[in-house]
Amino acid sequence: MPNVLTLKTPVWELNVWVKGIDDRLNTLKTTMAMRGLRLPAGRLCFSPPLLVEVDLPAPHNDELSQPVTEQLLPVPLFYENLQYEFEFLFAAELAIDSEPTIVHRLAAVEDKFHFSKKSRSLRGSINFGNDIGWFRLGLQYKNTQGALQSQSISFEVLPTKMVMALDLAAIHLAIDAKYPLWRFSFAQKTEHELARSRKQHERLALLWLAHFTHLRTSLEASVKLVTRTPHARLLPFARAARLEHLRGRLGAKLEARVQADVKAGTLNNRYVTQSRRLSVDTPENRFVKMVVTRCSAALSAILKVARQNQKVPEESGRLSASFFAELSSWKAPLDQLLNQPFFADVGEFAGMASESLVLHQRPGYAGVYRIWNDLKAYLDAFGSSASVSMKSVADLYEVWCFLEMKCMLMALGFKELSTQKAGTSSVGLEKQMSRGARPAFNLYRAEDNLTIRLSHEENFGRFEKDKNPEVGKIYSWTTKQIPDLFLEATFADGRTMRWIFDAKYRVADDDGADMAPDDAINQMHRYRDALIYLDKKGDGWKEKSRPVLGAFVLYPGWFDEQRLDHPYAKSIDEVGIGAFPLLPNRPNLWLAKFLEQQFGNPASLKKYIRPDADKYLVEDSTRMAVTGAYLRQYQDLALLACAAPAKDRDASYMEKFANGTAGWYHIPVETTKKKSISYHVMQETRHCALAAYSETEKHRAIEFVYEVISIEIKQRSTLTIEQAGTRSSSHDDYWLIKLGSSRKIARPIVVPNIRTFQVFHTSVDDLLLSKAWEDLAKRYVALV
């Protein structure tokens, strides 16, 4: 495992090792180059400023004489999903009477490190997983004077398949529009700088804390300045005093009253005197006291909620003891300020009657006023100095895919009927989606009466016979299945088709191409095989079928979709399993094209074909059955076609078509292809109605309906005179249909145009009941 970074200070040395960083760096370079962007430089930030020497494997060595807060690196060194080894080596002159420790809000990070007195090293490993953003590694130790020293080193953990500054911002924008505050998290390794927002959101303690972290030292300094030089006013003061305690000049009325009482001998009365004196119980000081009290109370509430919602020790999200100690250390100075005698003379804040120049201009007061306004409206005033943890980028990517697919469907002309929105509630210091809410979008398109339901994390429970499961629902017979995205389309005739999409924030490199991971593709096979639709037939029998037509991975792959071929196109067409790359700030043409192929686009310049359920039920991926079995949609599908012309054919062969005793019929495969009659539709044919030409009537008419015994493809040269009426040396492929018994139609159907070859599918009932050619209903018309 190579050493990628060494930091040297007068007291300690930090070494960082990692394996596989070159692959990550090359992937990021490719990602940035494809987007026309330069590779960002790496950056280390120190708090407090640090006198440090940076030693890198590449020729890059900076010797500094002054402490710095930031150190640039030639290339980024820290990436998601890599295992990093950190080792702090402490100088021999440093007394190790107490073990140095790592400080982080997560106990899982602190627990990864251990100290060895023998080697004087503090060593541990961290895998950032899908937590990207700024990581702050805190170090506590006693310096050579025995004083406790705290030092933090911050660096940015980057994704390799996305541009964090652009793509993550687009994901945040889309999610915030539907689920405000949900993306913010508390128990994560990394943090993100908060961008400015003008949208009003509800208050979230997590965000208040993130901003307070940056402002607390300024608040303490401003309040201390107020207590040292407080603002005071001459305020009216009334005092009731006995006669012997009266001092100074008295008012005329009070003097007359005193004289009257002395003459009357009443010497025990009390007299109210008015005076003015300086007082610190002013609205401005009451405001300062209110700010300190509110901040202390907010920290107490956050500490209480964090402790109540502390996760079990086995979970990685458990908060560390040093985090609680740090919050307590922030609260202690505020409580000390409130306990000063100055605030004992200050009353409760009841608002300001007018604007105060003291709060706006006087040192100390102006600082408290500015900080309070920032804290009160923290989300609207966030700048680059405030940061907060986000949920895993894998979770954010999944929700973004859900919202992006909805936008793609609406681009096809669908309108949003309703939204089954997942409610969010405060759980501890975070926002969580309500369990079992199953957020979904219900979309509708009036042009073809097509309804779509796109749901997130649809829950398909286990089938249990003893609980009398409902028909018309989907179950799993083994384990519960929860795909990320479930797309359900209901057509005008009431039939429903379904697809599954699963978001995976992972990419597998296959000879330089971004491919979906193999295990993610395998999971799509599992979904399609595991989900079973339970239907109830007229005889009461509960029939099982597999309802999912296709299952596809959505992953952050990058392709030039306008020039390259879709690597999963063949598997999607053949077996209905595959993947689509999906990235923010990209056109994502392959997925958009797939959705348009399924549902059409009335606004497209291409010819719009009204979607029909038949279109999906004849695809290769749908018609795969168990070996030895065959799937068909219609039980009485009949092929209607024109019989072969009599020219150059055996007379007895043609006579059989006229009297209903024909044994064979053949038609070029190329002809059925031109008529958009697929292989599966031909194999589904169970009857054949042939329009034979009558020399006496001078027209073609359908008089008989034949049963179909078999259908197969043969070369024309192999067909006999009995099968085709004449021999041919052609090697073209032909459908050879073996005909069985026939049934005579009561009223023959006349074909109106004898010069045009007619071929399509209908039903036996339509053939027997129709009175004219125009009455015949066509099957699989959406394919034509």
Side-chain angles (χ1 to χ4, degrees), residues 163-224:
V163 180
M164 188 159 65
L166 300 177
D167 296 342
L168 206 60
I171 289 176
H172 291 168
L173 186 65
I175 292 176
D176 285 347
K178 280 292 180 183
Y179 306 110
L181 306 181
W182 172 81
R183 63 184 168 99
F184 299 109
S185 182
F186 196 63
Q188 301 293 335
K189 298 184 184 74
T190 56
E191 297 178 340
H192 291 262
E193 293 180 348
L194 288 168
R196 292 186 177 273
S197 169
R198 294 301 174 192
K199 185 174 181 178
Q200 293 293 331
H201 290 308
E202 59 183 298
R203 186 178 187 275
L204 184 66
L206 173 59
L207 301 183
W208 183 91
L209 179 63
H211 210 42
F212 180 79
T213 303
H214 168 66
L215 297 174
R216 64 182 184 85
T217 53
S218 299
L219 177 63
E220 292 173 16
S222 296
V223 175
K224 287 179 180 178

Side-chain angles (χ1 to χ4, degrees), residues 491-558:
F491 296 86
D493 61 1
R495 286 184 289 181
T496 301
M497 304 296 154
R498 303 169 181 89
W499 296 264
I500 280 175
F501 298 86
D502 213 50
K504 299 294 182 187
Y505 181 72
R506 290 183 288 136
V507 175
D509 191 296
D510 184 5
D511 295 330
D514 292 346
M515 304 297 287
D518 289 345
D519 63 323
I521 294 292
N522 294 337
Q523 189 174 353
M524 300 306 100
H525 288 279
R526 185 196 81 194
Y527 278 139
R528 190 170 66 174
D529 186 63
L531 297 180
I532 304 297
Y533 180 77
L534 200 62
D535 197 5
K536 187 174 183 180
K537 295 297 182 181
D539 56 6
W541 180 262
K542 293 179 180 178
E543 186 176 74
K544 296 185 290 293
S545 62
R546 290 194 169 93
V548 178
L549 296 185
F552 313 103
V553 178
L554 304 177
Y555 69 106
W558 198 101

Side-chain angles (χ1 to χ4, degrees), residues 284-322:
E284 291 80 6
N285 290 331
R286 291 183 177 186
F287 173 81
V288 172
K289 181 178 180 180
M290 179 273 295
V291 171
V292 179
T293 302
R294 292 277 295 274
C295 290
S296 176
L299 288 173
S300 297
I302 290 174
L303 277 166
K304 181 180 178 180
V305 173
R307 287 193 174 101
Q308 288 176 346
N309 291 275
Q310 180 74 311
K311 297 188 177 183
V312 294
E314 289 75 19
E315 295 191 27
S316 61
R318 184 169 59 93
L319 299 172
S320 63
S322 60

Side-chain angles (χ1 to χ4, degrees), residues 408-416 444-447 600-603:
M408 286 185 169
L409 290 168
M410 295 189 71
L412 298 178
F414 290 92
K415 304 298 182 184
E416 188 172 348
Y444 177 74
R445 194 167 63 190
E447 287 86 345
N601 184 2

Side-chain angles (χ1 to χ4, degrees), residues 56-182:
L56 293 164
H60 186 87
N61 193 349
D62 291 340
E63 293 186 5
L64 302 173
S65 58
Q66 297 294 330
V68 295
T69 58
E70 182 177 284
Q71 174 66 47
L72 293 179
L73 305 176
V75 294
L77 296 180
F78 299 94
Y79 301 95
E80 59 181 346
N81 294 309
L82 274 185
Q83 185 83 5
Y84 288 84
E85 293 281 345
F86 296 83
E87 182 185 51
F88 289 90
L89 295 174
F90 293 89
E93 59 269 19
L94 192 71
I96 306 296
D97 55 350
S98 63
E99 294 185 359
T101 58
I102 291 296
V103 178
H104 193 272
R105 68 170 53 178
L106 294 187
V109 173
E110 294 186 352
D111 294 343
K112 292 288 186 181
F113 287 80
H114 63 278
F115 179 74
S116 171
K117 286 187 176 181
K118 183 176 181 180
S119 61
R120 304 176 67 84
S121 66
L122 178 63
R123 187 165 187 166
S125 61
I126 301 175
N127 189 324
F128 300 103
N130 289 131
D131 293 324
I132 59 176
W134 282 93
F135 178 82
R136 182 168 67 96
L137 186 65
L139 174 67
Q140 277 192 353
Y141 62 95
K142 287 188 177 180
N143 58 22
T144 53
Q145 288 76 35
L148 187 63
Q149 183 76 29
S150 294
Q151 180 69 52
S152 72
I153 305 169
S154 300
F155 48 82
E156 199 169 21
V157 180
L158 295 175
T160 57
K161 301 309 302 178
M162 293 199 307
V163 180
M164 188 159 65
L166 300 177
D167 296 342
L168 206 60
I171 289 176
H172 291 168
L173 186 65
I175 292 176
D176 285 347
K178 280 292 180 183
Y179 306 110
L181 306 181
W182 172 81

